[in-house]
Structures are given as structure tokens and as C-alpha cells.
């Protein structure tokens, strides 16, 4: 895991960067920082490559890595399959060695097509003077680009600045690999991007061109190459059941948890559940055991520090990750459960808000009203996710009472939120700028920081998580119809419409979620890992017919993510298996702190630095 950076200058004129760039990059990679400069006199180009390493794999390998022939790699990624990486090896060195032996574009594409895991990179290929860069198929690692005059900048994280120029950042589209002919660029004074797209069933090259054109920097041209990268996952199963779509069985039902569990238990999907358990468990194993070689070989059984933490709400996605992590993390090591809550308004303000928005609350489904904390006066941080989190902790303790589960209560006041958003978080969310980006970005930043309290012997003790690996449940809702919009689409367009919606979800996950969350979590010198987006997990879920993954004729808390709920019961989980989906911004109550008239898609003025 790293903060990587590249500045390509086609003009001899010196270009000055704002100081926040390196500050943000160093926070991502506190273990090693180095720069390397490549200059060509005729035609002139000047390239600065910089890398700031968070040591996560094998032995510490400083970057940029330069081989004997002059090729240079800056790498921000993890290899969980496809290429062999021994426990004592560092994956940066493995990728550099493989690229060193490549003599053609197709060979370079073959290397990246084979890698399972998240990555973003920049690679200078000495032979021919080419600059390669890109993100993995899902865009699980952040990479931004910008062109100012004759300067191309690539970076893991930028900084929000007022005015023009360096504020015009965009995320590099995760549609393939990019190559720049440095000599041709130097001669013409402009950058031409040659794009090698991922193969995607049903996704024509025109879609790739359209995606790139929306975010390509000014003064930059693109050329789509006929040579493509092989997709790391199988195509989505587009089949539709022969029978007609059924109406909702319980459209306004409030069945008890026991009755819902009986519905789940009656489904005959044992084969699908067993296979999903197998591939998801393996995905978690790869991510919780790929740790620094020194840590694995020298960690004390009594040091009390967790190596792995989970963004934890007590919902089904995080509960399953915790239950599977418990299988693969040594019993002597704790697991940190990071649970974030934003302080509730005082009762007077809340009554005013309730009166002001009575109509909105009237239209809320009954099951959402039940999510409200039972007592507003008991604790201002008893938000819905805190309550379900504590219930989930009890389930995990029952599942494995010998494990030390550190339930970290992370409490955030409005004053702290406003201060840190303005000073710091707004730069990490950038270039995304909606109300939803603000809410999720801030909530994830405080959660990943891991600073809060834990309860021991009926008292609270200050606690900060030491875990460098953070598991997150992103990808479950997108693949298993977990959002309310999936239910709406199913009602209006049946299985065919639902399949189209799910295809769109996975196709846009890089731009909506993953780059932002990588920037947010890595800011603490920690690494986000996404088991639900493991290539083998996605391939399996893509192969399963949609009606086996979700049955939206069943009520909330059952029909969405049905296959995952069956798996939760298979793992021995209880009430958490039938909890309805609750978005983080509502469960943590960060949305309650701001203007409730806002829509999630509105531009967020709070992210502006002034």
C-alpha cells in the first residue's frame, strides 16, 4: 500500500506543486519515502516519480523500484492471486521483476490481467520511453490525473484548492491501462493517451471512449487500442426465469425475526450457500493473512494488538466478515470492530426538526422508524448502528467466547466533524463533491482512525486501534440487490430490470465508492481490503442467476441479499441475518447533523475550502 505520484513536464519551465500534495501522500505511506527523476534532453521531457510506502507485505521494499535496465515502477497494490508471492517476498518487487521481462505491450497487459487484487501503478518503460499507468478492473485503489499547461500529474490523492488549474482533478477511469509515448509527447508538446481497455461482455468500446472522454484532462487526446486486457471476472448471468415475476408476498408485512428465519431455513440453496461460503472465506483468509513478514514471524501472543479491524455496524455484511475473519486469524490476536456514531441533537432541537419535517417522517417505512434509538436521553451516541453493533458483538462473543473482540465506540461531535472536515477530510474526498460523498467520506474517516473507547469491567477506557488492515463490506449490496433502488427497479421492470441495475452498479463502483474510500482509509496509514470484491467471489456471484441471489418478492430483511442471509445462518449467526439494510450515513446519524433538505446527489458546499 502506498501513496504514488508522477509529474511529467514537457516544458523546461519549472512547475511548483502545492505543499499539501506530499503531506497527504506521506500520510498514506509512513514507512518509506523516495523520489526518482528521469530527464531526456532531446526531445525534452522531465519526469518525477515519487512513492510513499506503507509496509504491508513481505520485507520492506522502498519505492520507486528501478531495475538494471532503467525501468521504474511505483506500485500501490496487493497481490492476492494470479502471481506467486512468497511470505517473505514483497509484491512490488515481484511485479517489477515480471515487467522487466516484458518486451511488448501484450506482455505487459498479460501481467496485469493475471493479477488478482487491488492495484494502481505508474511504470516508466525505458525501452521506447513509455509511461504506463492505470487502476485495477474495479478501481479499488485511487489514482487521480490532471494537466496544467504542459504538465501531466498522476497521484493517489490531491488537495482541494480554490480557483482554477490544480483544482481540476478527475479520477483516472478504471477502464484499462494507459500508455504515453514520452518522446512523441515531447516533440508535439501535448499528451496523447493510448488506452488498452478491459474486455467486458456487453460493454462496447464506445462505452470505454465515452467514460474516458468525460474525465480526460484538457489538452489531452486519446486513442483506443485494439489490444485489450482480459477481464478478471466472468460475465454477469443475464438469464431470466421462465415464470412471470411474482408480486411481493408480504408487501406491508412486519413478520417477527423468528418467522423470517423460518422462511430462510426453508430455502433449498445448500449448494450455492456452501460454495459462496468457500470462496468468500478464502477471500477473507487471503486478506487477513497477507501481513508484513516481520509481523507474522515475531508478533507476541500477549501484545494485545489487533492486526485486522472491520468497519462494523452489526449488519449482515460486516457480521459475515467478522465471522469469517475469526476462522483465519490466530486465536491469540484480538479483532477490532470499528463502530462510529455522530452525536444526536438535544431533545429540543430534535422536536423542532421533527415538526419541521413531519411529512418526511410520515412517509418513512415502519421498519425504519423502529431503528430509532429507544432512549434519546440515555446516551447521545446511541444511534442505530451503535445499537445493532452491540447486538452483533454479543452474537460474535457467543460464536467464539475465547476471542477478544474489541468493540471500539468511536464518538464524533459536530464541532470535531466540522473542524476536521474543513482542515483535512475535504481534500481526501476531492474530486468527488456530493452530499453523499461528504457523509460517507467523513463517517469512514473517523471510523478508520479507530480512536474511541472500549468497555471493560463495566467502565470505558480510551482506545485506538493499531490494525493496519481494515476490512470493509463494499460490494455486497451492489452484487446482491441490497439497496432500496433495486427493489424499486424490480417492482417496475421485473428480473430483467434488476439485472440491468446490478450490471450498472458494478460498472460504476470505482467512480462512486472505491477511489474515495481508498483515499479516506489510507490517510491513516491503513489499508482497505474488500473481500466481497475478490475476483473469485465476483465471478461466482456473476455466475449465479439473479433469483438465486435475491428474492425481492420477500420483505426487507429477507429478500435482498438472500444468498448472503442464508450463508449467515449457515455460519451460526442469529438476528443479524435478518436485519434490513441501513445506509451508513443514516445508521451513524451523520446525516442528522446537516441540512435535512439536502439530497444525496446535491453538490456539498461543506466540502469547499473557501
Amino acid at each position: 500500500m502506498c501513496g504514488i505520484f508522477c509529474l511529467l513536464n514537457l516544458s523546461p519551465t519549472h512547475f511548483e506543486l502545492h505543499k499539501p500534495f506530499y503531506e497527504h501522500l506521506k500520510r498514506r505511506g509512513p514507512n518509506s519515502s523516495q523520489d526518482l527523476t528521469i530527464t531526456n534532453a532531446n526531445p525534452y521531457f522531465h519526469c518525477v516519480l515519487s512513492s510513499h510506502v506503507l509496509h504491508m507485505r513481505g520485507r520492506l521494499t522502498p519505492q520507486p523500484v528501478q531495475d538494471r535496465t532503467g525501468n521504474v515502477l511505483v506500485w500501490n497494490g496487493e497481490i492476492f492471486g494470479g502471481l506467486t508471492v512468497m511470505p517473505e517476498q514483497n509484491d512490488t518487487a515481484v511485479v517489477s521483476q515480471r515487467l522487466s521481462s516484458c518486451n511488448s505491450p501484450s506482455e505487459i497487459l498479460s501481467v496485469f490481467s493475471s493479477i488478482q487484487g487491488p492495484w494502481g501503478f505508474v511504470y516508466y518503460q525505458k525501452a521506447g520511453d513509455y509511461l504506463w499507468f492505470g487502476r485495477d478492473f474495479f478501481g479499488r485503489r485511487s489514482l487521480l490525473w490532471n494537466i496544467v499547461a504542459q504538465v501531466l500529474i498522476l497521484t493517489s490523492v490531491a488537495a482541494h484548492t480554490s480557483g482554477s488549474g490544480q483544482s481540476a482533478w478527475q479520477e483516472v477511469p478504471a477502464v484499462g491501462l494507459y500508455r504515453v509515448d514520452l518522446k512523441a509527447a515531447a516533440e508535439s508538446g501535448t499528451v496523447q493517451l493510448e488506452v488498452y481497455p478491459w474486455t467486458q461482455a456487453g460493454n462496447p468500446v464506445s462505452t470505454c471512449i465515452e467514460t474516458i472522454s468525460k474525465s480526460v484532462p484538457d489538452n489531452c487526446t486519446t486513442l483506443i487500442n485494439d489490444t485489450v486486457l482480459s477481464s478478471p471476472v466472468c460475465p454477469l448471468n443475464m438469464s431470466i426465469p421462465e415464470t412471470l415475476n411474482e408480486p411481493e408476498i408480504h408487501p406491508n408485512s412486519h413478520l417477527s425475526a423468528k418467522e423470517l428465519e423460518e422462511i430462510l431455513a426453508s430455502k433449498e440453496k445448500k449448494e450455492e450457500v456452501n460454495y459462496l461460503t468457500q470462496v468468500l472465506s478464502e477471500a477473507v483468509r487471503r486478506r487477513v493473512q497477507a501481513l508484513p513478514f516481520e509481523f507474522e514471524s515475531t508478533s507476541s501472543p500477549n501484545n494485545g494488538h489487533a492486526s485486522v479491524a472491520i468497519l462494523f455496524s452489526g449488519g449482515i455484511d460486516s457480521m459475515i466478515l467478522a465471522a469469517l475473519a475469526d476462522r483465519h486469524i490466530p486465536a491469540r490476536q484480538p479483532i477490532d470492530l470499528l463502530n462510529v456514531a455522530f452525536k444526536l441533537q438535544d431533545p429540543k432541537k430534535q422536536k423542532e426538526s421533527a415538526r419541521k419535517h413531519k411529512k418526511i417522517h410520515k412517509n418513512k417505512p415502519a421498519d425504519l422508524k423502529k431503528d430509532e434509538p429507544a432512549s434519546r436521553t440515555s446516551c447521545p451516541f446511541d444511534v442505530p448502528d451503535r445499537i445493532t453493533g452491540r447486538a452483533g458483538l454479543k452474537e460474535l462473543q457467543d460464536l467464539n467466547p475465547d476471542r477478544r473482540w474489541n468493540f471500539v465506540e468511536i464518538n464524533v461531535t459536530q464541532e470535531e466533524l466540522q473542524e476536521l472536515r474543513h482542515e483535512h477530510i475535504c481534500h481526501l474526498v476531492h474530486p468527488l463533491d456530493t452530499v453523499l460523498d461528504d457523509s460517507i467520506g467523513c463517517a469512514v474517516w473517523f471510523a478508520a482512525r479507530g480512536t474511541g473507547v472500549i468497555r471493560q469491567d463495566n467502565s470505558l477506557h480510551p482506545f485506538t486501534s493499531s490494525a493496519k488492515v481494515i476490512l470493509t463490506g463494499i460490494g455486497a449490496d451492489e452484487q446482491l440487490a441490497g439497496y432500496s433502488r433495486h427493489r424499486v427497479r424490480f417492482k417496475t421492470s421485473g428480473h430483467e430490470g434488476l439485472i440491468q441495475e446490478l450490471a450498472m452498479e458494478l460498472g460504476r463502483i470505482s467512480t462512486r465508492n472505491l477511489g474515495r474510500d481508498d483515499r479516506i482509509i489510507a490517510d491513516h496509514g491503513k489499508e482497505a481490503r474488500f473481500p466481497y470484491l475478490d475476483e473469485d467471489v465476483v465471478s461466482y456471484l456473476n455466475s449465479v442467476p439473479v433469483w438465486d441471489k435475491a428474492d425481492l418478492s420477500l420483505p426487507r430483511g429477507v429478500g435482498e441479499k438472500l444468498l448472503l442471509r442464508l450463508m449467515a445462518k449457515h455460519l451460526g449467526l442469529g438476528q443479524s441475518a435478518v436485519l434490513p439494510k441501513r445506509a451508513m450515513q443514516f445508521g451513524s446519524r451523520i446525516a442528522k447533523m446537516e441540512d435535512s433538505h439536502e439530497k444525496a446527489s446535491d453538490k456539498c458546499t461543506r466540502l469547499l475550502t473557501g
Side-chain angles (χ1 to χ4, degrees):
M1 178 62 172
C2 303
I4 62 175
F5 173 86
C6 174
L7 186 151
L8 170 63
N9 193 348
L10 303 178
S11 167
T13 305
H14 178 69
F15 184 83
E16 189 69 32
L17 274 174
H18 290 299
K19 188 179 179 182
F21 272 82
Y22 268 58
E23 292 176 356
H24 294 317
L25 288 165
K26 285 182 178 179
R27 286 175 64 92
R28 292 176 62 93
N31 300 124
S32 172
S33 294
Q34 287 186 175
D35 297 343
L36 188 147
T37 301
I38 301 164
T39 302
N40 193 73
N42 187 24
Y44 179 84
F45 64 82
H46 180 79
C47 189
V48 178
L49 293 161
S50 179
S51 188
H52 307 267
V53 178
L54 172 66
H55 179 211
M56 293 302 298
R57 195 73 171 270
R59 302 189 186 280
L60 177 62
T61 302
Q63 296 187 42
V65 174
Q66 185 171 27
D67 66 18
R68 286 177 291 182
T69 58
N71 301 308
V72 182
L73 173 68
V74 289
W75 167 257
N76 173 27
E78 294 288 352
I79 299 175
F80 295 125
L83 296 182
T84 302
V85 182
M86 303 302 293
E88 69 279 6
Q89 286 184 305
N90 183 275
D91 55 355
T92 307
V94 170
V95 174
S96 176
Q97 290 167 7
R98 288 294 298 268
L99 292 176
S100 296
S101 63
C102 295
N103 298 310
S104 66
S106 60
E107 291 177 341
I108 289 180
L109 299 183
S110 178
V111 171
F112 287 101
S113 294
S114 67
I115 296 173
Q116 293 184 13
W119 47 263
F121 79 100
V122 182
Y123 181 63
Y124 169 67
Q125 187 180 19
K126 176 67 174 176
D129 285 311
Y130 293 110
L131 190 71
W132 293 81
F133 61 93
R135 303 164 68 193
D136 70 81
F137 185 78
F138 299 116
R140 288 165 287 188
R141 290 291 175 256
S142 171
L143 192 63
L144 309 178
W145 61 10
N146 192 5
I147 283 188
V148 182
Q150 292 180 296
V151 176
L152 168 66
I153 310 170
L154 301 164
T155 181
S156 297
V157 60
H160 188 286
T161 55
S162 57
S164 58
Q166 291 183 31
S167 64
W169 291 98
Q170 295 287 337
E171 292 186 330
V172 174
V175 296
L177 295 194
Y178 302 80
R179 187 177 78 159
V180 178
D181 184 327
L182 295 178
K183 288 183 177 177
E187 289 173 352
S188 66
T190 60
V191 174
Q192 183 181 65
L193 297 171
E194 191 172 6
V195 187
Y196 297 84
W198 291 105
T199 56
Q200 299 181 61
N203 192 8
V205 172
S206 60
T207 304
C208 174
I209 297 172
E210 182 182 350
T211 302
I212 295 170
S213 64
K214 289 179 180 178
S215 63
V216 70
D218 294 334
N219 308 319
C220 191
T221 59
T222 58
L223 172 66
I224 308 297
N225 200 290
D226 292 334
T227 308
V228 297
L229 291 116
S230 299
S231 170
V233 298
C234 76
L236 181 65
N237 188 326
M238 306 292 284
S239 59
I240 298 171
E242 294 180 4
T243 57
L244 294 175
N245 296 322
E246 298 177 0
E248 279 200 292
I249 297 173
H250 311 286
N252 298 303
S253 173
H254 308 301
L255 299 179
S256 70
K258 185 178 179 181
E259 288 172 309
L260 294 179
E261 288 170 10
E262 288 174 358
I263 294 174
L264 292 174
S266 69
K267 293 288 181 180
E268 301 207 354
K269 297 178 187 272
K270 288 186 178 179
E271 186 176 334
E272 291 95 335
V273 169
N274 287 338
Y275 198 86
L276 178 58
T277 303
Q278 178 185 329
V279 293
L280 188 54
S281 179
E282 174 61 15
V284 171
R285 185 197 67 79
R286 293 171 180 173
R287 284 155 179 80
V288 302
Q289 293 184 358
L291 300 171
F293 183 64
E294 290 85 349
F295 179 90
E296 290 187 322
S297 58
T298 64
S299 60
S300 166
N302 300 315
N303 65 12
H305 295 306
S307 59
V308 174
I310 299 168
L311 295 185
F312 189 77
S313 66
I316 184 171
D317 305 341
S318 58
M319 284 293 292
I320 282 179
L321 292 183
L324 293 178
D326 181 54
R327 292 183 169 189
H328 302 296
I329 295 174
R332 67 179 184 272
Q333 293 180 15
I335 296 176
D336 291 347
L337 307 174
L338 308 179
N339 184 275
V340 65
F342 292 82
K343 189 175 182 179
L344 294 164
Q345 298 176 32
D346 64 58
K348 283 185 180 180
K349 288 183 179 178
Q350 202 142 30
K351 284 179 182 177
E352 290 174 11
S353 178
R355 281 197 300 269
K356 194 175 180 181
H357 308 296
K358 192 175 180 182
K359 285 185 180 180
I360 296 173
H361 290 291
K362 259 187 181 178
N363 295 329
K364 273 191 177 182
D367 52 2
L368 285 186
K369 291 178 182 177
K370 288 180 181 179
D371 288 342
E372 298 293 327
S375 173
R376 292 290 188 186
T377 58
S378 60
C379 176
F381 295 104
D382 278 349
V383 302
D385 278 1
R386 179 62 47 82
I387 294 169
T388 54
R390 287 174 184 152
L393 170 65
K394 179 65 168 61
E395 285 190 33
L396 293 173
Q397 289 171 334
D398 291 342
L399 203 63
N400 185 356
D402 297 326
R403 167 82 63 190
R404 178 177 163 188
W405 301 94
N406 290 325
F407 183 72
V408 189
E409 300 183 22
I410 300 160
N411 300 325
V412 187
T413 64
Q414 188 168 29
E415 294 75 21
E416 186 179 20
L417 169 65
Q418 290 173 345
E419 178 185 353
L420 285 167
R421 173 201 281 129
H422 180 75
E423 292 181 358
H424 195 70
I425 301 172
C426 66
H427 298 293
L428 306 172
V429 175
H430 188 71
L432 303 188
D433 59 3
T434 68
V435 169
L436 182 63
D437 292 318
D438 171 51
S439 296
I440 299 295
C442 290
V444 171
W445 189 88
F446 281 104
R449 186 173 66 166
T451 299
V453 294
I454 58 174
R455 295 178 182 271
Q456 291 179 332
D457 303 322
N458 295 320
S459 60
L460 296 175
H461 300 270
F463 184 88
T464 298
S465 173
S466 61
K468 294 170 82 173
V469 169
I470 296 182
L471 301 183
T472 168
I474 291 177
D477 290 304
E478 288 80 1
Q479 298 180 79
L480 291 149
Y483 293 121
S484 58
R485 59 180 174 267
H486 296 137
R487 191 171 288 273
V488 172
R489 188 66 185 273
F490 176 71
K491 285 182 180 179
T492 58
S493 307
H495 284 103
E496 185 175 2
L498 178 60
I499 290 169
Q500 293 170 358
E501 193 78 13
L502 294 178
M504 180 181 68
E505 291 281 9
L506 212 54
R508 68 183 184 182
I509 196 170
S510 64
T511 57
R512 285 175 66 92
N513 303 89
L514 295 172
R516 176 198 66 209
D517 288 358
D518 174 68
R519 293 190 294 276
I520 291 289
I521 293 174
D523 185 62
H524 299 292
K526 301 178 181 183
E527 180 174 287
R529 294 183 175 176
F530 312 100
Y532 290 108
L533 291 173
D534 178 88
E535 285 81 356
D536 290 340
V537 172
V538 176
S539 284
Y540 174 64
L541 290 177
N542 275 359
S543 72
V544 175
V546 68
W547 62 89
D548 278 337
K549 293 185 284 192
D551 184 353
L552 300 187
S553 67
L554 296 174
R556 289 184 71 244
V558 184
E560 73 278 14
K561 298 188 285 194
L562 178 61
L563 191 58
L564 206 60
R565 296 182 188 283
L566 291 168
M567 178 181 165
K569 297 302 298 176
H570 175 69
L571 292 174
L573 298 177
Q575 180 65 26
S576 60
V578 291
L579 281 179
K581 165 70 180 178
R582 188 196 297 119
M584 187 180 195
Q585 66 270 30
F586 302 120
S588 68
R589 281 301 185 258
I590 186 172
K592 286 281 187 181
M593 281 190 167
E594 311 298 353
D595 182 2
S596 57
H597 285 298
E598 294 174 321
K599 295 180 180 178
S601 57
D602 288 347
K603 300 290 183 184
C604 183
T605 57
R606 293 182 296 277
L607 291 172
L608 301 177
T609 56

